Amino acid sequence: MLTSATVLAGAVVALPAATAHAAENVVRADRSVPRSCFAAPVPKGTAGTDRRELTSTVDGLIQARLAPSTGPEGDWDLAVFDKATGAVVAASAALRTHELAESFVKKGQELVVQACRYGGNAREAVLGVDFLALTPQGTPTGTVAPPQRAELVRVETPAKTDKDKLLRLGLDVTEKADATGVEVVLANDTDRKTLADSGFKSNVIQPDLSAKSVQNAKTDREYAAKAPGSALPSGRTSYRHLYDYEYEIKELARKNPSLVSAFTLPEPTWEGRDVVGVEIATDVRNLADGKPVDFTMGVHHAREWPAGEHAMEWAYELINGYQRDPAIRGLVGRTRNIVVPIINPDGFEISREAEPKGDFTRFDYENKRKNCNVADSPKEFATGVCKANPAGRERGTDPNRNYAGFWGGNGASTLWRSDTFRGAGPFSEPETRNVRSIVSSRQVTNLLTLHTYSNLVLRVPGVADVRAPLDEPAYKALGDQMASRNQYKSEPSWALYDTTGSTEDWSYWATGGWGFTFEIGGTEFHPPYADGVVAEYAGLKPAPGAGHGGNRQAFLDMLANTADPAAHSTLIGSAPKGYQLKLHKTFQTPTSPVLQPDGSTKPPIYVTDKLDSSLTATGGRFAWSVNPSTRPYVAGRYGRDPQGPPQAGFAVANPPGVPAVNKQYPADATSESFTFHVDGLPKADNGKFSVDVAWKSPNTDWDLYVYDAAGNLVSSPANGGTTSEHAVLFDPPAGDYKAVLVNYAQADPAVVDDWTGGVSFASPVPPTYGPKEAYQLTCTSPRGNLVGVADVYADRGQTVDVGEVCTRSAAVAKERGVR
Ligand code: 0X9
Ligand code: ZN
């Protein structure tokens, strides 16, 4: 009785005799040796290492941690090996001495824990090891849950309201969506029931995600075994682990000290992991050199492994290219490049380390999306570490719903369990605050956040109501340019469905720096490496970008845009050597009216944003690449002035007869239709057309589809009700269109509830313009005296001469008697 209870409760076991003799917990090495700690166990006594041997007391998890001892921190790493085979079980290789190596172990498994002093002056570090029995997920009591099958289905959502309704069910909705359907992950029977009860039509895309994962892992092993290298800049052939990312980042920095620097983001994660990044620029340590910043990041979402791979390969691309490719060398010389491949290391570690299990019935962790925040779940689910807790993969906040931009609105969930849970408040998560700190302290003119999947290049806004920014034509052009390389679809992200609180919907509206989301790949969150990483990155078959340059070329286009002064703003002037110029802005970023679980809303929350960046003068003239001083949010909204009247609307004569009830459209074409013509200039200027049909009973359902003359589905069905459908096309090209009506359901088959309807037209909405905003520019002397102040207005593409800001304005102030 007692023994089994101990196992189920999750035994926490320290090192042998660790509690009795604290000294046992201290690892020591007289000198540092930069090496991969996880490459292999090295013999006892090897320089720069220390080791412990121990035996797992549980079927569950090992958690090995390193913390700094007293004195300087240095850089220590950690690895755990299976003693019998020498295979790495867990490892951690972050930049300081905050290491957490965590993975699955078997009871009785003999382990070697190896600590390695990579660099720095710390002769010792403090080691702690815990073993935790695995609590079956979803069961706070520890009862074993029945096996569950995870599957991928396509849900039919012909109207935009259907998508919104689907989003409200709290299911795991993917970005793979088109005008009439969305792919959804059903993790278990509860999800299946939720979908079935909701009345949506669906069909299976992938019946067993667990089996698919096992198959993909095999494909990956075979590929890695036979490929000597790949077309990637690093030549890599398999998905990295978190420790691979960490180790490679610091090796890149160590080997290229003037070009590359590794850094730790300001906040550790919920589980205490350091988040690491890499910066690439000539004279890399001089952060305040005034160059524009390109910021690329991956893995907000745990299971989206190719996102991290693409970001990491981009870092290699820049470093290799700087040495070998004159074009890349030129671009790198004019920019600063920040890469953070894994924004959400807690989540990524779980997903990545669960893969060998291939078991979604108990370890659906491989399918985890969110971070490891536990604060918002009910108490009974708030126990255990993220890899072993009663809520399983459902613990956590969606980092891509947690930014302040329109936070709390549509397309994010108020429920802790949901895959799009928005969190307790805007920027409630360390992961989003880390990104915020970079974007707020540097002039990030270009931001790219990588996700999987659906072959998309997305820009703001995430919700249609926000309307496009005045920058829309240039913003779209950059997205389209990148999409011409990877052959993804370029569009504003609201076109799929609403999202609020996503990365660039904060960063762009707050700073004016272009922000894009790429959804890499066509079918899976982490497909076989050769397809999802090598082919998509390098532009090889079977990627759609094969022969067009792939993501590699898209990223280079983004970098070329970063280097282009026409794409941002530039301040020029002169300042004595060593003087500090600072640009400051502070403002309130409003969230959406905050949706409540009961559907009501509360007033928006105002988040105080502060943007502060600096330039160190080198003496004489300077040029400082910055974002425009007026926020897009304030500058206004895109639109166009009507060039003529809109076309007159008309009622439609319902064709004679009624098509049979059809639930299989378009597979079964049974339907009826009417055609209409849209006029163009000089006769009419239509900003949009709307097709509206209505019927009597809420139990009747007519589905509406609108096609152009070439047969493309063009409508974005929106705002339908229970007795109506509404399809809209903005800026419709002149020509013939066909509206198709499918009789999906009849309230009373004996009495036909037929539709009535019509087509209406509206003028384009003219642009709206807001006020201009300034930056506060200050100059501080090397002794710390404030010697110059100016308000600076700069529009996109503009070069503004701020003159001798450190001397002239100071002299003027003196004349006025200001001290
Ligand atoms: O839902 C998301 O966060 C992203 N899709 S994913 O399947 N990778 O989870 C897309 C966000 C798109 N919205 C904006 N970028 N605004
Ligand atoms: Zn994602």
Side-chain angles (χ1 to χ4, degrees), residues 361-402:
T361 65
R362 182 162 152 156
F363 299 106
D364 69 348
Y365 294 133
E366 185 181 335
N367 216 8
K368 185 177 172 67
R369 166 183 169 99
K370 299 184 290 179
N371 74 358
C372 284
N373 182 353
V374 71
D376 302 303
S377 39
K379 267 205 203 78
E380 64 269 34
F381 291 107
T383 59
V385 296
C386 208
K387 270 208 192 79
N389 78 90
R393 65 179 289 283
E394 294 181 328
R395 169 186 290 211
T397 297
D398 182 352
N400 210 30
R401 297 293 181 281
N402 186 248

Coordinates of all heavy atoms in Angstrom, one line a residue, residues 361-402:
T361 N -1.9 9.1 -26.2 CA -3.0 8.7 -25.3 C -2.6 9.1 -23.9 O -3.4 9.6 -23.2 CB -3.2 7.2 -25.3 OG1 -2.0 6.5 -24.8 CG2 -3.5 6.7 -26.7
R362 N -1.3 9.0 -23.6 CA -0.9 9.4 -22.3 C 0.0 10.6 -22.4 O -0.1 11.6 -21.6 CB -0.2 8.3 -21.6 CG 0.2 8.7 -20.2 CD 0.5 7.5 -19.3 NE 1.5 7.8 -18.3 CZ 1.6 7.2 -17.2 NH1 0.9 6.1 -16.9 NH2 2.5 7.6 -16.3
F363 N 0.8 10.7 -23.4 CA 1.8 11.7 -23.6 C 1.4 12.6 -24.7 O 2.2 12.7 -25.7 CB 3.2 11.2 -23.8 CG 3.7 10.4 -22.6 CD1 3.7 9.0 -22.7 CD2 4.0 11.0 -21.4 CE1 4.2 8.2 -21.6 CE2 4.4 10.2 -20.3 CZ 4.5 8.8 -20.4
D364 N 0.2 13.2 -24.7 CA -0.1 14.1 -25.9 C 0.6 15.4 -25.7 O 0.4 16.3 -26.4 CB -1.6 14.3 -26.0 CG -2.2 15.1 -24.8 OD1 -1.5 15.3 -23.8 OD2 -3.3 15.5 -24.9
Y365 N 1.6 15.4 -24.8 CA 2.5 16.5 -24.6 C 3.2 16.9 -26.0 O 3.5 18.0 -26.2 CB 3.6 16.2 -23.6 CG 3.1 16.0 -22.2 CD1 3.5 14.9 -21.5 CD2 2.2 16.9 -21.7 CE1 3.1 14.7 -20.2 CE2 1.8 16.7 -20.4 CZ 2.2 15.6 -19.6 OH 1.8 15.5 -18.3
E366 N 3.4 15.9 -26.8 CA 4.1 16.3 -28.1 C 3.2 17.3 -28.8 O 3.7 18.0 -29.7 CB 4.3 15.0 -28.9 CG 5.1 15.3 -30.2 CD 5.3 14.1 -31.1 OE1 5.2 12.9 -30.6 OE2 5.4 14.3 -32.3
N367 N 2.0 17.3 -28.5 CA 1.0 18.2 -29.2 C 0.8 19.4 -28.4 O -0.1 20.2 -28.7 CB -0.3 17.4 -29.4 CG -1.0 17.7 -30.7 OD1 -0.4 18.4 -31.5 ND2 -2.2 17.3 -30.8
K368 N 1.6 19.7 -27.4 CA 1.4 20.9 -26.6 C 1.7 22.1 -27.4 O 2.5 22.2 -28.3 CB 2.4 20.8 -25.4 CG 2.1 22.0 -24.4 CD 3.0 21.9 -23.2 CE 2.9 23.2 -22.4 NZ 1.6 23.4 -21.7
R369 N 0.9 23.2 -27.1 CA 1.0 24.4 -27.8 C 1.5 25.6 -26.9 O 2.3 26.4 -27.3 CB -0.4 24.8 -28.4 CG -0.6 26.2 -28.9 CD -2.0 26.4 -29.4 NE -2.3 27.8 -29.6 CZ -2.3 28.3 -30.8 NH1 -2.0 27.7 -31.9 NH2 -2.7 29.6 -31.0
K370 N 1.0 25.6 -25.7 CA 1.1 26.8 -24.9 C 2.3 26.8 -24.0 O 3.2 26.0 -24.2 CB -0.2 26.9 -24.0 CG -1.5 27.0 -24.8 CD -2.7 27.2 -24.0 CE -3.1 26.0 -23.2 NZ -4.2 26.2 -22.3
N371 N 2.4 27.7 -23.1 CA 3.5 27.8 -22.2 C 3.2 27.0 -20.9 O 2.3 26.1 -20.9 CB 3.9 29.2 -21.9 CG 3.0 29.9 -20.9 OD1 1.9 29.3 -20.5 ND2 3.3 31.2 -20.6
C372 N 3.9 27.2 -19.8 CA 3.7 26.4 -18.6 C 3.1 27.1 -17.4 O 3.3 26.8 -16.3 CB 5.0 25.7 -18.2 SG 5.3 24.3 -19.3
N373 N 2.4 28.2 -17.7 CA 1.8 29.0 -16.6 C 0.7 28.1 -16.0 O -0.1 27.5 -16.6 CB 1.1 30.3 -17.2 CG 0.5 31.1 -16.1 OD1 0.4 30.7 -15.0 ND2 0.0 32.3 -16.5
V374 N 0.8 28.1 -14.7 CA -0.2 27.3 -13.9 C -1.1 28.2 -13.1 O -2.1 27.7 -12.6 CB 0.6 26.3 -13.0 CG1 1.3 27.0 -11.9 CG2 -0.2 25.2 -12.6
A375 N -0.8 29.5 -13.0 CA -1.5 30.4 -12.1 C -3.0 30.4 -12.3 O -3.7 30.7 -11.4 CB -0.8 31.7 -12.2
D376 N -3.4 30.2 -13.6 CA -4.8 30.4 -13.9 C -5.7 29.2 -13.9 O -6.9 29.3 -14.0 CB -4.9 31.1 -15.3 CG -4.1 32.4 -15.3 OD1 -4.4 33.3 -14.5 OD2 -3.2 32.5 -16.1
S377 N -5.0 28.0 -13.6 CA -5.8 26.8 -13.6 C -6.3 26.6 -12.2 O -5.7 27.0 -11.2 CB -5.0 25.6 -14.1 OG -3.7 25.7 -13.7
P378 N -7.5 25.9 -12.1 CA -8.0 25.6 -10.7 C -7.0 24.8 -9.9 O -6.1 24.1 -10.5 CB -9.2 24.7 -11.0 CG -9.5 24.8 -12.4 CD -8.3 25.3 -13.1
K379 N -7.1 24.9 -8.6 CA -6.0 24.4 -7.7 C -5.7 22.9 -8.0 O -4.5 22.5 -8.0 CB -6.5 24.5 -6.3 CG -6.1 25.7 -5.6 CD -6.0 25.5 -4.0 CE -6.1 26.8 -3.3 NZ -7.5 27.3 -3.2
E380 N -6.7 22.1 -8.3 CA -6.4 20.7 -8.4 C -5.6 20.4 -9.7 O -5.0 19.3 -9.8 CB -7.7 19.8 -8.4 CG -8.6 20.1 -9.6 CD -9.7 21.1 -9.3 OE1 -9.4 22.1 -8.5 OE2 -10.8 21.0 -9.8
F381 N -5.5 21.3 -10.6 CA -4.7 21.2 -11.8 C -3.4 21.9 -11.7 O -2.6 21.9 -12.6 CB -5.5 21.6 -13.0 CG -6.7 20.7 -13.3 CD1 -8.0 21.2 -13.1 CD2 -6.5 19.5 -13.9 CE1 -9.0 20.3 -13.4 CE2 -7.5 18.6 -14.2 CZ -8.8 19.1 -13.9
A382 N -3.2 22.6 -10.6 CA -2.1 23.5 -10.5 C -0.9 22.9 -9.8 O 0.0 23.5 -9.4 CB -2.5 24.8 -9.8
T383 N -0.9 21.5 -9.8 CA 0.2 20.9 -9.1 C 1.1 20.2 -10.1 O 0.7 20.0 -11.3 CB -0.4 19.8 -8.2 OG1 -1.1 18.9 -9.0 CG2 -1.2 20.3 -7.1
G384 N 2.3 19.9 -9.7 CA 3.2 19.1 -10.5 C 4.0 20.0 -11.5 O 3.6 21.1 -11.7
V385 N 5.0 19.5 -12.0 CA 5.8 20.2 -13.1 C 5.0 20.1 -14.4 O 4.1 19.3 -14.5 CB 7.2 19.7 -13.2 CG1 8.0 19.9 -11.9 CG2 7.3 18.3 -13.6
C386 N 5.5 20.9 -15.3 CA 4.7 21.0 -16.6 C 4.7 19.6 -17.3 O 3.8 19.3 -18.0 CB 5.3 22.1 -17.5 SG 4.1 22.8 -18.6
K387 N 5.8 18.9 -17.2 CA 5.9 17.6 -17.9 C 5.1 16.5 -17.2 O 4.9 15.4 -17.7 CB 7.4 17.1 -18.0 CG 8.1 17.6 -19.3 CD 9.2 16.6 -19.6 CE 10.1 17.2 -20.7 NZ 11.1 18.1 -20.2
A388 N 4.7 16.7 -16.0 CA 4.0 15.7 -15.2 C 3.0 16.4 -14.3 O 3.2 16.8 -13.2 CB 4.9 14.9 -14.4
N389 N 1.8 16.7 -14.9 CA 0.8 17.4 -14.1 C -0.6 17.0 -14.5 O -0.8 16.5 -15.7 CB 0.9 18.9 -14.3 CG 0.4 19.4 -15.6 OD1 -0.8 19.8 -15.7 ND2 1.2 19.4 -16.6
P390 N -1.6 17.1 -13.7 CA -2.9 16.6 -14.0 C -3.6 17.2 -15.2 O -4.5 16.6 -15.7 CB -3.7 16.8 -12.7 CG -2.8 17.6 -11.8 CD -1.5 17.7 -12.3
A391 N -3.2 18.4 -15.6 CA -3.8 19.0 -16.7 C -3.2 18.7 -18.0 O -3.6 19.0 -19.1 CB -3.8 20.5 -16.5
G392 N -2.1 17.9 -18.0 CA -1.4 17.5 -19.2 C -1.0 18.6 -20.1 O -0.6 19.7 -19.6
R393 N -1.2 18.5 -21.4 CA -0.8 19.5 -22.3 C -1.7 20.8 -22.2 O -1.3 21.8 -22.8 CB -0.9 19.0 -23.7 CG -2.3 18.7 -24.2 CD -2.4 18.2 -25.6 NE -2.1 19.2 -26.6 CZ -3.0 20.2 -26.9 NH1 -4.2 20.2 -26.4 NH2 -2.7 21.1 -27.8
E394 N -2.8 20.7 -21.4 CA -3.7 21.8 -21.4 C -3.3 23.0 -20.5 O -3.9 24.0 -20.5 CB -5.1 21.3 -21.1 CG -5.6 20.4 -22.1 CD -7.0 19.9 -21.8 OE1 -7.3 19.8 -20.6 OE2 -7.8 19.7 -22.8
R395 N -2.3 22.7 -19.7 CA -1.8 23.8 -18.8 C -1.2 24.9 -19.6 O -0.6 24.7 -20.6 CB -0.7 23.2 -17.9 CG 0.1 24.2 -17.1 CD 1.2 23.6 -16.4 NE 0.7 22.8 -15.3 CZ 1.4 22.6 -14.2 NH1 2.6 23.2 -14.0 NH2 0.9 21.9 -13.2
G396 N -1.4 26.1 -19.2 CA -0.7 27.2 -19.8 C -1.5 28.2 -20.5 O -2.7 28.1 -20.7
T397 N -0.7 29.3 -20.9 CA -1.3 30.4 -21.6 C -0.8 30.4 -23.1 O 0.4 30.0 -23.3 CB -0.9 31.7 -21.0 OG1 -1.4 31.8 -19.6 CG2 -1.3 33.0 -21.7
D398 N -1.6 30.8 -24.0 CA -1.1 30.9 -25.4 C -0.3 32.2 -25.5 O -0.9 33.3 -25.5 CB -2.3 30.9 -26.4 CG -1.9 31.0 -27.8 OD1 -0.7 31.2 -28.1 OD2 -2.7 30.8 -28.7
P399 N 1.0 32.1 -25.7 CA 1.8 33.3 -25.8 C 1.3 34.2 -27.0 O 1.5 35.4 -26.9 CB 3.2 32.9 -26.0 CG 3.2 31.4 -25.8 CD 1.8 30.9 -25.9
N400 N 0.7 33.6 -28.0 CA 0.3 34.4 -29.1 C -1.1 34.9 -29.0 O -1.7 35.3 -30.0 CB 0.5 33.6 -30.4 CG 0.8 34.5 -31.6 OD1 1.4 35.6 -31.5 ND2 0.3 34.1 -32.8
R401 N -1.6 35.0 -27.8 CA -2.8 35.7 -27.5 C -2.6 36.6 -26.3 O -3.6 37.2 -25.8 CB -4.0 34.7 -27.2 CG -4.4 33.8 -28.3 CD -5.0 34.5 -29.4 NE -5.4 33.5 -30.5 CZ -4.6 33.0 -31.4 NH1 -3.3 33.3 -31.4 NH2 -5.0 32.2 -32.3
N402 N -1.4 36.8 -25.9 CA -1.1 37.5 -24.7 C -0.5 38.8 -24.8 O -0.3 39.6 -23.9 CB -0.2 36.5 -23.8 CG 0.1 37.1 -22.4 OD1 1.2 37.5 -22.1 ND2 -1.0 37.1 -21.6

